[in-house]
Structures are given as structure tokens and as C-alpha cells.
Amino acid sequence: AQRVTQPEKLLSVFKGAPVELKCNYSYSGSPELFWYVQYSRQRLQLLLRHISRESIKGFTADLNKGETSFHLKKPFAQEEDSAMYYCALSPLPGQGGSEKLVFGKGTKLTVNP
Amino acid sequence: DVKVTQSSRYLVKRTGEKVFLECVQDMDHENMFWYRQDPGLGLRLIYFSYDVKMKEKGDIPEGYSVSREKKERFSLILESASTNQTSMYLCASSSPGTSGSNEQFFGPGTRLTVL
């Protein structure tokens, strides 16, 4: 079964501190993994996906197939990073699997001044 | 830029009313989705559609139905609203056949309150 686990509901850090939002997944095939972010009163939007291997707003995430993890990291948190973060998984397109996303329950990040 | 719009930002209805939530996307996406978003529960899939007039149940379809008569429009229907359907409802669309990714694009959400 496909499952995404975000073990922290709430995470609070101080501005300038490193931040890591954890995401573990369960999937038997080749997954496509995403991080979505929702700022206050804004729509849910894609932050990054593992296929792109890019850094957005200073955030990075590496897919670790051995540990089945896709943790989101930023070396120096900013107040504007305060938001709700969701990790999500789907089968890689073209693999014959569902085109749905499975979401974790989310982590609310608060960056304190 | 993909635009997904939802007909209402806020909606207040009474128990037993029939409620329609509308979603429109302008990028010719074949897939459309309805979720509800509740604190501590994340996003839960209600229904999705992969083509006009096609639909599949998600994880929590009870009490809901959907309609997709045109490719760009996906409607969520609450046949008889109940207080436990008070929630934020999110619509999304995707086009993996075109983009090569299952990335979904979300609307702004409709906050529904059932009294």
C-alpha cells in the first residue's frame, strides 16, 4: 500500500536556524515524490519534486530509496517560510500506476523571529 | 500558468441543503480531483476524474457525488449537507500525459460551513 508519513505535526525553529521536515514513504515501485507548501490564505502550491533535483527558496530534498525518505531541508530558516508543508507520492508516470497523489498529513512550520 | 478556479471562497449552508461546488481549469488537463482538507488529517481524496463523464471514488466518497460534463469543469455535489461536511474543499488538476509528471495544480479552496 502507498503511504506517506510526516511524523511532526508541528515544528518550530528560530530564524536563521536549520530546518528539516521529515517525510517517510511506503511504496513498492518507483515513486515520484513532491513537497507542497501552503502559506497562510494562499493556495496549495508545489515547492519541489525529486525528479527536478532543484532548490526552491533555499529548500532541497533528496530521495533516499534505502531509507524510503524524502526529507525537506533548509540551512537557514526565514520567517516567511512559516507555512503548512505536505509531502506527497505517486507512481512515476508511464509505470502503469494510478495518477493520484497520496499526501502526508502535513507539518506546520513556524519560524520565530 | 495553469489556472484552477473555484466558484466560491466561502459558503454557508444549512443541514439538508443540496450544495454544488464548482471547479474550472483552463489548461486542458485530463485529470481533475476533489479533496477535503481538515486540520490534523491532511488532504483526503473524495473523487477524481480522468476524462469527461468518467469518475472514480477516492478515499472518502460517502455523502458526495461529482459531475464532469465538460473537460474543464468538475463539480462536487453534497446531496444533503451535514455538519460533519464542514471543511475546506480543494480542487486540483493534472496532465501527466502532457507534462510527464503527476504534479497537481490546486485551486484556492472553498471553505464550506454547514449549520
Side-chain angles (χ1 to χ4, degrees):
Chain A
Q2 301 175 27
R3 184 175 295 162
V4 176
T5 303
Q6 293 180 249
E8 303 130 333
K9 282 189 178 180
L10 304 170
L11 186 61
S12 183
V13 301
F14 286 102
K15 177 183 171 181
V19 62
E20 180 179 68
L21 291 87
K22 291 185 167 51
C23 172
N24 292 94
Y25 68 91
S26 173
Y27 183 66
S28 57
S30 296
E32 185 178 20
L33 282 149
F34 306 85
W35 276 100
Y36 278 83
V37 62
Q38 188 172 32
Y39 302 103
S40 179
R41 298 191 176 140
Q42 293 188 28
R43 68 181 67 199
L44 197 61
Q45 59 187 285
L46 180 70
L47 181 61
L48 52 80
R49 51 184 173 153
H50 88 276
I51 289 177
S52 306
R53 301 188 67 82
E54 55 195 345
S55 173
I56 304 292
K57 299 185 179 184
F59 284 97
T60 59
D62 290 318
L63 177 59
N64 186 322
K65 291 187 178 180
E67 294 183 359
T68 59
S69 68
F70 188 55
H71 303 328
L72 184 68
K73 300 177 185 179
K74 185 169 182 177
F76 306 104
Q78 302 300 313
E79 289 179 69
E80 55 265 31
D81 296 328
S82 295
M84 194 74 183
Y85 291 81
Y86 293 96
C87 183
L89 168 157
S90 78
L92 274 176
Q95 303 284 311
S98 167
E99 295 178 347
K100 297 182 288 185
L101 291 182
V102 175
F103 284 88
K105 293 185 177 180
T107 298
K108 184 175 181 180
L109 174 66
T110 301
V111 181
N112 299 298
Chain B
D1 249 9
V2 176
K3 251 313 176 31
V4 181
T5 57
Q6 296 182 227
S7 51
S8 305
R9 194 78 175 92
Y10 299 94
L11 208 51
V12 179
K13 295 292 181 180
R14 297 210 174 272
T15 302
E17 280 193 82
K18 190 169 186 176
V19 182
F20 293 86
L21 303 183
E22 305 283 342
C23 175
V24 177
Q25 50 93 6
D26 67 356
M27 283 301 288
D28 202 37
H29 283 180
E30 59 267 23
N31 295 342
M32 294 188 75
F33 306 83
W34 275 107
Y35 297 90
R36 61 178 286 175
Q37 182 183 31
D38 300 287
L41 298 178
L43 275 73
R44 293 180 291 168
L45 182 65
I46 304 171
Y47 268 97
F48 74 100
S49 168
Y50 49 90
D51 203 350
V52 175
K53 297 191 187 296
M54 306 300 282
K55 61 185 179 184
E56 276 195 31
K57 292 180 180 179
D59 301 316
I60 52 164
E62 296 79 19
Y64 303 95
S65 61
V66 290
S67 171
R68 193 165 180 202
E69 297 295 319
K70 294 185 177 181
K71 191 174 185 180
E72 68 270 19
R73 187 180 297 269
F74 192 34
S75 303
L76 180 69
I77 303 149
L78 287 67
E79 295 290 342
S80 177
S82 64
T83 55
N84 62 12
Q85 294 178 309
T86 291
S87 186
M88 173 69 89
Y89 289 88
L90 302 183
C91 175
S93 71
S94 72
S95 183
T98 305
S99 68
S101 168
N102 282 315
E103 175 188 355
Q104 292 182 13
F105 297 83
F106 284 83
T110 296
R111 183 164 295 281
L112 172 67
T113 302
V114 182
L115 302 176

